[in-house]
Amino acid sequence: QVQLVESGGGLVQPGGSLGLSCVASGSGLAIRDMGWYRQPRQAPGKQRELVASITRSGSTNYADSVKGRFTISRDTVKNTVYLQMNSLKPEDTAVYYCNAETIASNDYWGQGTQVTVSS
């Protein structure tokens, strides 16, 4: 079982920056990929979209909408994944969820953290 706890959300003005972090804990952690997804709070029926993901070896993948602005990184020793968000736009406003996929292909989710980009 894997528990994920996110932190770092909040309110920021357009053009600003914000950093998120997610710590994984649990017994026998065997995490393969980690990532960040988001879902606009105003659109609860909309499926969560991938923001960025990172493999255990450090290979990254980004949604086109965030390329060049967001950076995902990972500390495998601390079982922590980070998301640095720069040049934020109002359309980045959403609840951001941390995701971890284990070697056994089990998916785990954090509770979500709100990011609001507004003047």
Side-chain angles (χ1 to χ4, degrees):
Q1 194 77 4
V2 177
Q3 292 82 41
L4 302 173
V5 178
E6 302 118 331
S7 61
L11 173 64
V12 63
Q13 292 186 344
S17 298
L18 206 59
L20 305 181
S21 62
C22 171
V23 180
S25 61
S27 61
L29 289 180
I31 297 173
R32 181 171 55 199
D33 300 338
M34 298 190 79
W36 291 93
Y37 288 71
R38 66 186 181 187
Q39 183 172 31
R41 190 180 292 277
Q42 297 82 359
K46 185 178 179 182
Q47 195 171 8
R48 289 178 189 177
E49 63 173 0
L50 174 68
V51 177
S53 64
I54 185 167
T55 67
R56 190 170 183 85
S57 62
S59 297
T60 58
N61 181 45
Y62 294 93
D64 288 342
S65 59
V66 306
K67 283 181 180 177
R69 300 188 297 123
F70 290 12
T71 302
I72 189 170
S73 60
R74 179 174 177 177
D75 186 330
T76 55
V77 174
K78 295 181 178 179
N79 290 313
T80 302
V81 63
Y82 307 93
L83 185 68
Q84 179 62 39
M85 304 182 290
N86 299 327
S87 303
L88 282 160
K89 305 175 182 179
E91 50 263 44
D92 293 319
T93 296
V95 179
Y96 283 69
Y97 296 90
C98 177
N99 171 265
E101 181 178 346
T102 66
I103 293 175
S105 297
N106 294 317
D107 258 335
Y108 295 91
W109 295 91
Q111 79 284 358
T113 184
Q114 176 70 43
V115 171
T116 302
V117 184
S118 175
S119 55

